[in-house]
Amino acid sequence: MSVTIKTAREIELMRESGRLLEKVHDELGAFIKPGISTLDIDRLGEKLIRSLGGIPNFLNYNGYPASICVSVNDEVVHGIPNKHRILQEGDIVSLDAGLIYKGYHSDAARTYGVGTISPEAQKLIDVTKQSFFEGIKYAKAGNHLYDISAAIGGYAQKFGYGVVRDLVGHGIGTHLHEDPQIPNFPQRRRGIRLVPGMTLAIEPMINIGRADVAWLDDDWTVVTQDGSLSAHYENTILITDGEPEILTLSK
Ligand code: MF3
Ligand code: CO
């Protein structure tokens, strides 16, 4: 599908959708502790989404069986919640959540430490988050899409990390995945020109080790090939006449 430019009314609905998703993430973040299962996170997340008047957009998406993607340690993204997978002190866990509100999708991800984590793991989480912010410095009307990609990848690579190439960010609106695809590493071309009213899900996935990933037999869970830790950070943003607006993060 083509890149959609949202109207003023659609932007208001995207804002509302994003605000609700931020609340879901804030509550899930506060819930993370050793001893809970990844299914506990999904159960709480789905309940929160529905209680706020949203619909979980990941549930049954291409057959995905849960509302929240929960990915632990070397799992990059799309981990499937499981009652037997118990978070342990020192783990890192990525929560990817999304919802539909009045027909408009939002999508965001955070990576948390479980209890006390190693300095190396914390640095990975911090750099992954910062790579998003480095990227959106270029998320301005008139710039080109891959300016964002280059800034994200260039920043993470300075730390020797592997920037995942097999998965990308995306446009978002009345569909979870709209054009354009948004890689997290430098491209040879410049990409489309950014225009106010575009809404984009920017989502760096960064590994401590090499960039290569593999899929588990469940056909969903993406893991690092070398077993190294991986972090994910994502927000839905709006391209404006000035600075980008982060729709899933207000503070
Ligand atoms: N944020 C994820 C993405 O953009 C959404 C999960 S897809 C699902 O790919 F199928 F797992 F729901
Ligand atoms: Co996404």
Side-chain angles (χ1 to χ4, degrees):
M1 77 175 288
S2 57
V3 178
T4 59
I5 309 300
K6 276 71 180 178
T7 64
R9 177 188 154 273
E10 289 183 294
I11 288 169
E12 205 33 67
L13 294 172
M14 289 294 295
R15 282 194 184 109
E16 196 55 41
S17 183
R19 270 197 285 266
L20 298 180
L21 184 57
E22 179 180 16
K23 285 189 193 163
V24 172
H25 263 300
D26 287 350
E27 299 235 12
L28 290 179
F31 181 62
I32 297 301
K33 54 187 165 300
I36 63 170
S37 75
T38 57
L39 188 64
D40 292 334
I41 299 168
D42 178 65
R43 290 274 159 83
L44 176 59
E46 176 165 358
K47 201 176 87 184
L48 289 166
I49 290 169
R50 293 194 192 280
S51 71
L52 291 166
I55 300 168
N57 47 2
F58 298 176
L59 185 61
N60 299 321
Y61 182 86
N62 291 333
Y64 184 75
S67 298
I68 315 289
C69 298
V70 186
S71 308
V72 183
N73 294 338
D74 64 324
E75 295 170 355
V76 179
V77 286
H78 303 167
I80 298 178
N82 183 313
K83 69 175 179 204
H84 302 295
R85 186 76 194 261
I86 307 296
L87 296 184
Q88 313 284 339
E89 178 100 19
D91 285 345
I92 66 170
V93 61
S94 300
L95 308 186
D96 191 349
L99 61 80
I100 314 171
Y101 181 73
K102 294 189 177 170
Y104 285 82
H105 290 252
S106 48
D107 184 4
R110 310 276 184 257
T111 300
Y112 298 106
V114 180
T116 304
I117 62 173
S118 70
E120 293 75 22
Q122 189 61 52
K123 184 175 164 199
L124 173 71
I125 292 172
D126 294 343
V127 168
T128 302
K129 181 174 180 180
Q130 187 57 33
S131 74
F132 165 88
F133 287 98
E134 295 297 322
I136 67 162
K137 287 179 184 169
Y138 294 86
K140 288 185 184 163
N143 283 350
H144 288 264
L145 182 68
Y146 300 153
D147 297 340
I148 301 173
S149 305
I152 293 171
Y155 180 75
Q157 272 160 9
K158 280 196 299 198
F159 297 84
Y161 292 150
V163 178
V164 174
R165 301 169 87 91
D166 300 71
L167 298 139
V168 295
H170 49 93
I172 181 167
T174 54
H175 300 264
L176 172 59
H177 292 139
E178 299 186 356
D179 280 343
Q181 295 198 0
I182 311 172
N184 294 304
F185 58 98
Q187 305 293 299
R188 284 200 241 210
R189 291 170 298 147
R190 295 195 295 173
I192 59 168
R193 200 181 272 277
L194 299 173
V195 171
M198 287 179 177
T199 45
L200 307 173
I202 313 256
E203 50 179 318
M205 290 151 269
I206 312 286
N207 307 338
I208 280 196
R210 296 183 55 86
D212 310 74
V213 298
W215 273 258
L216 296 185
D217 284 340
D218 63 22
D219 241 21
W220 277 107
T221 313
V222 181
V223 295
T224 59
Q225 242 174 52
D226 61 8
S228 66
L229 293 180
S230 185
H232 185 200
Y233 187 81
E234 173 180 28
N235 284 301
T236 299
I237 71 160
L238 168 71
I239 303 297
T240 75
D241 286 321
E243 295 300 316
E245 208 176 300
I246 309 180
L247 304 181
T248 47
L249 186 71
S250 57
K251 35 189 187 298

